[in-house]
Amino acid sequence: MTSKNIARDVLWPDDGKVQVRVAFLYVGQGSSAIVFAKDGDEYRVVLVDINLDRKVAGIDVPALMKDLLEGQVLNAFCNTHPHDDHLFGTKELSDAVDIKEVWHSNHKPSRKYGGKHSELTALVAKVKKKYGDNAEIVLEGSNSSVAYGEAEYHVLSPAQYVTEEVNEDDADKRRARIHEQCGVIKFGKEKQWIMIVGDADRCAFETHITKYHKDRLKSFCLAASHHGSNSFFRENDDQEEYMDGLAAIDPDYTVVSAPTQEESRHNHPRDFAMEKYEEQCGDDDVFHTGEERYCFIFDIYDDGSRSNPMNDGGRLVDEYGLREDGGDDGGGKDSAKAEAGYFKAPREQAGEYQPRKYG
Amino acid sequence: MEIVRADSTIQVIDDLSLCSDGNAEFRCSVAVGPFPNVARLPERVRLRVQLDSTFPYHGVDIYPEDESVRGFPHQDAETHKLCLFPDRQAFFNASRLKQYIDWAREWLIDAATEKLLPLGDPYEIPDFSRRDFQGELPTELPLLFDETDDSFGAWHDRMGATGYVDLLNAKILRGLLVSRFIDEEKNIVREWTYPKHLAERRDRVSGRWLLLSDPAYTRHRPPQTFGELTEMCIRLGVDLQRNIRLAREQRNRVPEAAFVLVGFQIPHRVGDEVSEVHWQPIYLSNNQTDRRERRKQKNHKSSKFKDSGLWNALVNEGGLAPQAALPWARSENIARKRLYARGEHSNIAAYERVVLAGCGALGGILAEMIIRGGAQDVHLLDKDLFELGNQCRHTLDGGSLRRGKATALSDRLQSCNPMSNITGYLTCLPPRLSDQNRDQIAKVINDADLIIDCTTDEGAFRWLDKISSRNRTKMVSMFVNFRATILTLAVSGRSSSCSRICQRLYLDIHSGVVPVTELEHGGQPNPDELVLPGPGCWHPTFPATNADMWLMTAAATNALNQLLGEPPKVDGTAMLFRRNIDAYSNPIEVVWKSNYR
């Protein structure tokens, strides 16, 4: 780590009027957001999802959180759903910082599709051992918000009945319905909310969320579902799009957490979805983390107003970006971050064109 | 003259006559409107119009003869010559002379209405030139100082203050550098900010400084006599004679002189608050010089030659009499902000430490451009020695024969940009274990903010790229093809290494996306196209001319400066410049520019 704590410098609210701050991190093909909720002179910090993506220089979230918290506890780690791109790095996070609570969607993974879920299970066990059974909080859709410091959060999904239904299915069906059972949670207070929907899909919104919470969804900022996938609007290209969910949230700003299409193995964000978000918010108010590898920050103030969207200018990726190979041939700076590196190196291919250079 | 006479508003007083110096002159008068005016100029002003013997090839000098037309801005303080437009702006035909008189009339109208220095115009320092003292000052070295609005904090509340000043002889520049100002309580007010190599620290001399306010004594004219300067000093409680006396007592040897630096607080623009100090030096003989001169005259030792005696003699002989002319010397503000106000590659210069690897034709020209363009701390690296065969394309000359290209180039370019630190290393890249400078070179590269690779050596490029990637240093690579018809410029991005950018570019060239074929971009020459330096241990060279190289490098340097000025992006950039072989066409064309990550 360099002498300056970039994470703290960039992310920690230094204006006491900030009641809620949400920072959407660039983590490549995945999602991660940090929520700061004012609590007296301090801030409670919640990390919603985590991902480590070396291929596209995603932020090393555990290292960033360690710097950010400076030994302070992470009040909660919230996992919207146990897919690897929302879980990758849980163990490293657990090693790096002290986590007080784990919030999760209570999805029951199968051995066949477990992936990184075991790290979440281990974290839950660790946290419960240290802080008691109440340290595990299952996300459950509710009609009311919960006070959290001076702010509030409101879990809108998954409804209890959905979790029960899904968990009774077999492994394949459970896996297929994981986005239907995804945690959807908004942070803020009174009229200003920031909505994080994880990978919640059209089915989740059409069948459960919009149906029951239509008047509770309004949020000025939306973390786009599933990295800008079309699944928020339609299950296939032939299906007519479902727009009621986005209309009910009615965001002024949308943040899409994904690398560029070229870098994404799923072609995220999809053009169709981006068009829909741009139609809703305007071209300039849809923020794509992968475009310039920026992190985006939104504040809600104690007087009920909110900030304009802010970005870190790439400082966090420059400092905490992961490198693909992690190799080093010596002679570099004496810096842990220098070892992490972040540059995209070329892949050697036999017989590729090499010009003769003169000068 | 007929055209002048035809203008009824110009009254020709006497005819054109030949002067003893070969020039010609005549007198005329022109009306000054409005009259009466705030500047109290007369209704008509008499002008002496002087034509050079080579007229019309030079300009025309115009001197107002009325006493009331003195001391204005844009006017020579001594001769009172009007400062008019550059002579190139006057027609080279029969109307040329009339044009100058019209300009003089406009000048007089501006003077009458106080518009010669309108509010908001860049502030012009009054004319301190003293032609009478040319060749008579104890040294002709100009005073070199660096003052900007950044340094003004040290001065803004010191009006009327005095103290000692240390000066150093410049090594690369011709002049005396202000090293540090010390106040009467022996506190340092401002200290040395020049690169270390710029001064000969052994040759320190001392003098006195005093800080006044406005440099104008009357109108825009500076004080020209001891009496006028004394008057300005008294207003601020400064004892001018005491300062001169203390300055004369300094035992300065190189140069042997007494220095009194008079500071004036000036604004950047007319009407603004003062924000900078201008130093104008007075050079006098010191006691040592006077003592020696008097000994020569009297041919014996005497108590008169003590400091007090010398001072009394100077005063009694009228050397400091009120009407005695002030021996103002020349001074120049060499602050970086001033030097590079025009012609700076500002975005390249914004990188504090630049490593330029490869000082061949391409790297040598690039080094010249970026260093003259204001780059601050440049480290040049090259493994080759300069040979006469290189001379046709290189910026070095025979004086550098068999010297390391990088070290010879650094010596030469240091004088092109004395305010920067230019260092050269004779080394291959990566440096071998046997290289004595290996650690230093590694440090230099690791500490760089910008690495520019012009080595044309793939191994060196890859090694530099590795370091750049690890340290997140901006890296640039440049090379030309065999006939120097294509220059490739690759610039790393925030997350994309230079080698990655090159690879992506090569793939695009290979796949035909780029309007340059593989053969054109990187094709190998036929053996009969190579220029062979001679038998024995030879290497093939390419047949580009120096013009080819300068053209392409200049185009790439400007593009690089623009690219580096853009907000940092994840993507890097690759550009291809094509030089038209047909010299009558556009010489350089950008045929490809693409961002890659």
Side-chain angles (χ1 to χ4, degrees), chain B residues 318-338:
Chain B
L320 304 176
Q323 69 279 11
L326 277 169
W328 289 123
R330 300 273 181 188
S331 66
E332 188 160 351
N333 188 346
I334 60 167
R336 176 173 283 278
K337 268 188 183 176
R338 293 263 178 144

Side-chain angles (χ1 to χ4, degrees), chain A residues 291 318 342 347-348 353, chain B residues 462 472 494 503 521 597:
Chain A
E291 187 177 352
D318 288 354
Y342 75 114
R347 289 189 187 86
E348 293 287 348
Y353 163 60
Chain B
R462 286 174 184 232
R472 304 160 203 188
R494 271 181 39 233
Q503 189 188 44
H521 183 253
R597 74 169 65 174

Side-chain angles (χ1 to χ4, degrees), chain B residues 68-122:
Chain B
S68 55
V69 192
R70 301 275 193 273
F72 284 96
H74 304 298
Q75 185 176 22
D76 189 298
E78 277 188 316
T79 65
H80 319 304
K81 187 175 88 171
L82 305 186
C83 176
L84 302 173
F85 291 107
D87 64 282
R88 66 175 179 274
Q89 291 188 18
F91 295 117
F92 282 88
N93 59 23
S95 70
R96 187 170 174 81
L97 177 60
K98 168 76 166 28
Q99 174 81 78
Y100 273 88
I101 297 173
D102 287 343
W103 284 347
R105 186 181 5 225
E106 286 172 27
W107 188 100
L108 290 163
I109 291 168
D110 282 350
T113 53
E114 297 188 329
K115 286 182 182 165
L116 283 173
L117 265 189
L119 289 178
D121 261 21

